[in-house]
Amino acid sequence: MKAYSKKLVKILSVKQYKSKLTKYRENKHLQRLMTLSVSNNLFDATWYQEHYGAFPNDFEAFKDYLYKSTFANVNPSSGFDTEHYLRNNLDIYLQGVSPLLHYFNYGRKENRQIAPATVRWQPKSQLIAKDNVDWQLQNIAICLHIFYDDFVDKFADCLKSFPIDVDVFVAAASQEIKEKVEEQYAQLLTVKKLKVAIVPNRGRNFGPMLVEFGKELLNYDLLCHLHSKKSLYSGREQTQWFDYLNQYLFKDRHVVACMLRLFAEHKNLGMYYPTSFWMMPSWVNHWTCNKPFAKSFIEDWGIDVSDNFLNYPVGGMFWVRPEAIKQLLETNYDYDSFPEEPLPNDGSWLHALERALGLLVEKNNYEQFFYHPQAAKFTQDKSYIFANYYKPPTQLITELQGFEVISFDIFDTILRRKYTEPDFAKFQVGEVLTEQSIVATPQAFVDFRNRAEHEIRVQKKFIGDVNIIEIYHRLGQLLGCDEEQAMSWLELEFSFDLNSILPKDEMVQVLHHLSDLGKEIWLVSDSYYTSSQIRTMLRKIGISAPYSLFLSCEQQLRKDNGTMWKMLSEKVNFLRAKCIHIGDNVRADAQLCGDYGFTNMHILNPVDKWQASGLKPKFKDSSEMDKTNILKWGPLMSNLGRYPFFGE
């Protein structure tokens, strides 16, 4: 080592020498770590290369794993599960450290648990790129939105090693970024044409692309859209989501070359992106609260948004044939077309646009394809969006028993309706009243019933909640009947609904098991039913464990606007970390619940599990109820959705 150091110092500057020496020592340390990993059966170079590609030698394969495992759920062998280690040690994930590196340096001494590699999802189909496909002639545009100046260098490194020449369009957030881009990118041999525009902080990453470059991008065969992305929390800049997307969209030379070949060979392929970032919540591929913002896309493009879950480029980065999204690119936009900052974390026109892109591609008779890094495969299998909903009851209990307070939603979580459709009891009341010539049709009664509920909410200025007694009092006024008759209809609706109520047996068993372990059970629901009516339903499905009941109509607080969670968070205060809530509504039971510091577990309701199983037909969004459809498909959906995960 000394002879090596003396020789180096003669020919290098002190700074260069120190850099070389540091790299030399790092490599020595990593080589020792690789030897240790191999001896403990935690790194297997042959296994790794069979899964993730060829490398010049075993050490290069090992370094590739250490790098990628900071942001991707690749595994070093069959004996070590990267995702398990990081999900169970979020402090390590937030530090951006390779889990295997941490395990040998610290984790073993700290008794951090490891697990064998688990296949959580395997593509049912595979696209294989052919080496002989001529992809060099692609006319390609790279469109970058750069808000953070350190991303200029990151994108430059990717462009420098890009496999073919490209035209580059950059939306820069400042003059300084513009100058830095022009200085660096103009020198790159892979950049044929460079166009840079300074843009305002409006429209996030989509606005500048559409305003500055939209129509020009229609002239290209392929378009790659990327933007600088980071999260600022936990005392460290979090770039793992960006690193994941950037690696498999722009940086990984092998993946990019294969992707370009697939586009060249398969003219029907219109959009590509990697499967959703694995550390995102299970419900990330859901419309959440964004369907109302998609109205213009539905009207202008004719897309169907009836499914709750969908495939889309989560994070807004993707490759696409401009022809496949021509309606978007050819529209005239200015910056006033986009909502002003600050934007909410979710629920805006831009969030809806991101979700609508894949639907637009398919509307234009193109198809989407994806890359799944853990399996190292390209595929058109869309089922990855449900990969995190595999959870046998034993695993569910294991995950829940570490909490002291277990909170359950009620409807579609611990109980289900025989015919699935929640308004079917109203329809049945309408049938009775139609026979009595009180209303013209059953649907007319449903409309009156829902109108009465809405008018009470308007009267209360949407503060608090309404109960079923208030609703039927108002309904009686609308239909010109006395209080006694209106209350008889109320009892009829509850009777029909109660008659349809069935237990979600496995979930009821889980609830009782947790109660037997001494856990505190909460039942939390946005409901117009009174506590007496809800307790009657709970007795019917066999709930005998002690519980605390929190109902919106009695608390005058709702989950879906956050007021219920605010109250409950104040109730438990610093003990929130020991509480978990389980429910099927993405907005009310997951997003807002999490905003108030509660751990939460989203489950599939019967309609969503039906979709996840790939079954058709299903109920469509409609103002008109179809009794034949409800009677035919409702019981099948209800039975399939009895357990809200796969693996029952």
Side-chain angles (χ1 to χ4, degrees):
M1 176 64 193
K2 290 182 179 178
Y4 173 79
S5 300
K6 288 179 181 178
K7 184 177 180 181
L8 269 181
V9 79
K10 290 180 181 179
I11 59 176
L12 299 174
S13 68
V14 173
K15 185 176 181 180
Q16 290 173 320
Y17 167 71
K18 288 182 177 179
S19 176
K20 289 278 187 180
L21 185 59
T22 299
K23 187 173 182 180
Y24 173 81
R25 288 172 173 168
E26 286 177 351
N27 281 339
K28 281 293 185 183
H29 172 69
L30 294 181
Q31 286 170 344
R32 287 194 295 270
L33 178 61
M34 186 180 78
T35 301
L36 188 61
S37 301
V38 171
S39 64
N40 283 272
N41 297 316
L42 297 183
F43 179 72
D44 183 335
T46 301
W47 187 94
Y48 188 78
Q49 294 187 84
E50 286 175 351
H51 285 76
Y52 305 115
F55 296 89
N57 52 60
D58 291 357
F59 185 52
E60 290 302 317
F62 184 67
K63 288 196 296 182
D64 184 78
Y65 167 75
L66 293 183
Y67 163 66
K68 288 179 179 173
S69 62
T70 62
F71 57 81
N73 55 346
V74 295
N75 295 316
S77 69
S78 62
F80 186 91
D81 192 273
T82 293
E83 183 169 343
H84 175 272
Y85 196 83
L86 292 180
R87 282 191 180 276
N88 287 279
N89 300 284
L90 288 178
D91 57 324
I92 308 309
Y93 168 76
L94 294 174
Q95 290 174 32
V97 176
S98 171
L100 190 61
L101 186 66
H102 178 272
Y103 176 71
F104 279 113
N105 286 339
Y106 308 103
R108 291 186 301 173
K109 297 176 184 177
E110 297 169 356
N111 293 317
R112 309 239 187 179
Q113 298 301 305
I114 63 174
T118 300
V119 177
R120 292 170 175 82
W121 180 78
Q122 189 67 249
K124 295 192 286 280
S125 62
Q126 183 177 1
L127 290 169
I128 299 175
K130 296 179 181 177
D131 291 338
N132 61 351
V133 173
D134 182 8
W135 50 278
Q136 296 283 351
L137 301 178
Q138 302 273 11
N139 184 23
I140 293 175
I142 307 292
C143 187
L144 308 174
H145 178 256
I146 305 180
F147 187 82
Y148 302 106
D149 64 355
D150 54 318
F151 281 75
V152 175
D153 297 329
K154 293 184 180 186
F155 289 134
D157 288 340
C158 298
L159 284 167
K160 192 182 303 180
S161 60
F162 203 74
I164 60 177
D165 295 345
V166 294
D167 290 351
V168 179
F169 298 81
V170 180
S174 68
Q175 179 66 32
E176 291 74 17
I177 292 176
K178 179 177 185 293
E179 292 174 358
K180 189 175 180 181
V181 166
E182 290 175 336
E183 178 184 354
Q184 291 191 31
Y185 294 10
Q187 306 301 316
L188 299 176
L189 297 178
T190 55
V191 177
K192 297 184 296 181
K193 169 185 171 182
L194 177 64
K195 185 173 182 178
V196 187
I198 300 175
V199 300
N201 185 23
R202 190 77 175 258
R204 296 286 174 96
N205 55 297
F206 285 113
M209 178 184 76
L210 297 173
V211 173
E212 305 292 342
F213 314 124
K215 290 185 172 59
E216 192 171 354
L217 293 173
L218 282 167
N219 298 322
Y220 289 85
D221 298 323
L222 282 178
L223 160 67
C224 180
H225 176 61
L226 296 155
H227 61 99
S228 59
K229 189 175 189 65
K230 63 174 72 172
S231 301
L232 305 175
Y233 61 94
S234 303
R236 178 187 179 274
E237 290 183 352
Q238 302 296 313
T239 63
Q240 293 95 322
W241 186 5
F242 167 82
D243 293 336
Y244 173 87
L245 293 174
N246 189 58
Q247 179 72 27
Y248 301 113
L249 284 165
F250 198 30
K251 186 174 184 178
D252 192 303
R253 191 177 177 92
H254 171 71
V255 172
V256 170
C258 289
M259 177 269 298
L260 292 174
R261 289 189 178 101
L262 288 170
F263 266 121
E265 180 184 0
H266 303 281
K267 303 304 181 184
N268 61 313
L269 296 178
M271 175 175 270
Y272 158 78
Y273 44 91
T275 54
S276 304
F277 183 46
W278 53 284
M279 283 295 282
M280 299 295 284
S282 57
W283 43 265
V284 67
N285 282 90
H286 192 282
W287 271 103
T288 62
C289 56
N290 291 292
K291 278 189 181 181
F293 298 97
K295 183 179 179 181
S296 62
F297 309 135
I298 298 169
E299 294 172 350
D300 297 342
W301 302 342
I303 59 174
D304 178 7
V305 303
S306 57
D307 285 345
N308 290 326
F309 284 85
L310 73 165
N311 301 82
Y312 72 97
V314 180
M317 302 188 215
F318 51 87
W319 281 86
V320 70
R321 295 187 196 273
E323 179 69 17
I325 56 169
K326 62 182 178 180
Q327 295 94 321
L328 178 66
L329 295 177
E330 66 189 10
T331 301
N332 292 318
Y333 291 101
D334 56 40
Y335 287 107
D336 289 336
S337 304
F338 304 96
E340 293 186 42
E341 297 287 345
L343 289 178
N345 291 333
D346 195 21
S348 75
W349 185 87
L350 290 167
H351 291 104
L353 171 60
E354 184 178 57
R355 285 164 170 79
L357 287 173
L359 297 176
L360 176 59
V361 167
E362 293 173 358
K363 181 68 177 180
N364 288 328
N365 297 315
Y366 289 97
E367 298 174 9
Q368 301 184 72
F369 70 110
F370 325 100
Y371 182 74
H372 186 54
Q374 190 178 43
K377 293 178 180 178
F378 289 92
T379 184
Q380 288 186 270
D381 184 354
K382 294 183 173 184
S383 66
Y384 70 84
I385 63 176
F386 299 109
N388 289 326
Y389 290 99
Y390 177 86
K391 202 183 300 288
T394 52
Q395 180 183 339
L396 176 60
I397 291 173
T398 299
E399 291 183 15
L400 294 176
Q401 63 188 12
F403 296 89
E404 295 303 315
V405 178
I406 320 294
S407 169
F408 291 86
D409 173 46
I410 296 177
F411 292 93
D412 288 326
T413 298
I414 59 173
L415 63 76
R416 59 193 169 104
R417 291 179 168 98
K418 179 179 179 180
Y419 297 105
T420 302
E421 170 56 59
D423 277 359
F424 191 52
K426 303 172 189 176
F427 189 89
Q428 290 175 296
V429 176
E431 288 182 314
V432 173
L433 300 191
T434 300
E435 291 178 359
Q436 298 173 3
S437 301
I438 294 174
V439 294
T441 65
Q443 183 63 49
F445 176 79
V446 174
D447 295 340
F448 274 120
R449 163 64 176 77
N450 291 338
R451 175 184 163 189
E453 182 176 342
H454 179 71
E455 288 182 359
I456 297 296
R457 295 188 187 282
V458 171
Q459 182 181 328
K460 291 188 172 186
K461 299 180 180 179
F462 295 95
I463 297 173
D465 204 359
V466 304
N467 64 43
I468 195 167
I469 298 172
E470 294 172 311
I471 294 169
Y472 270 88
H473 175 76
R474 178 59 184 148
L475 181 60
Q477 294 174 340
L478 289 176
L479 294 179
C481 70
D482 59 34
E483 187 80 2
E484 182 179 356
Q485 188 174 24
M487 291 305 109
S488 71
W489 299 342
L490 181 159
E491 292 301 327
L492 194 58
E493 178 182 332
F494 178 68
S495 176
F496 279 129
D497 214 1
L498 179 64
N499 188 54
S500 75
I501 293 300
L502 297 168
K504 301 189 79 169
D505 300 85
E506 293 86 352
M507 295 301 289
V508 171
Q509 291 169 14
V510 166
L511 184 153
H512 283 135
H513 182 84
L514 292 167
S515 179
D516 291 343
L517 292 175
K519 308 301 180 181
E520 183 177 349
I521 305 298
W522 291 356
L523 301 179
V524 188
S525 180
D526 284 347
S527 178
Y528 43 71
Y529 282 133
T530 66
S531 60
S532 175
Q533 290 169 325
I534 291 293
R535 290 182 191 278
T536 299
M537 289 181 167
L538 295 173
R539 285 194 296 272
K540 183 183 179 187
I541 65 170
I543 299 293
S544 58
Y547 58 82
S548 297
L549 183 61
F550 301 94
L551 294 178
S552 60
C553 68
E554 301 209 347
Q555 299 287 334
Q556 289 301 300
L557 303 168
R558 290 185 62 86
K559 292 186 297 179
D560 62 9
N561 64 15
T563 52
M564 180 73 82
W565 296 121
K566 183 176 186 296
M567 180 274 290
L568 291 175
S569 70
E570 292 169 353
K571 176 180 174 68
V572 295
N573 199 5
F574 60 90
L575 295 175
R576 279 175 294 177
K578 296 184 178 181
C579 306
I580 186 170
H581 177 71
I582 305 144
D584 69 292
N585 187 290
V586 166
R587 183 67 172 164
D589 295 312
Q591 280 186 313
L592 291 173
C593 176
D595 287 347
Y596 283 92
F598 288 100
T599 303
N600 54 83
M601 180 184 292
H602 181 254
I603 65 174
L604 295 171
N605 62 42
V607 173
D608 287 339
K609 190 172 180 182
W610 185 268
Q611 178 195 342
S613 302
L615 297 172
K616 301 288 181 180
K618 63 181 289 295
F619 298 155
K620 297 290 184 180
D621 293 340
S622 173
S623 59
E624 297 291 323
M625 297 183 67
D626 183 345
K627 181 179 179 180
T628 301
N629 203 42
I630 290 170
L631 294 178
K632 179 178 180 179
W633 297 108
L636 296 174
M637 289 184 185
S638 178
N639 188 60
L640 177 68
R642 191 182 78 178
Y643 183 63
F645 296 101
F646 294 98
E648 61 268 58

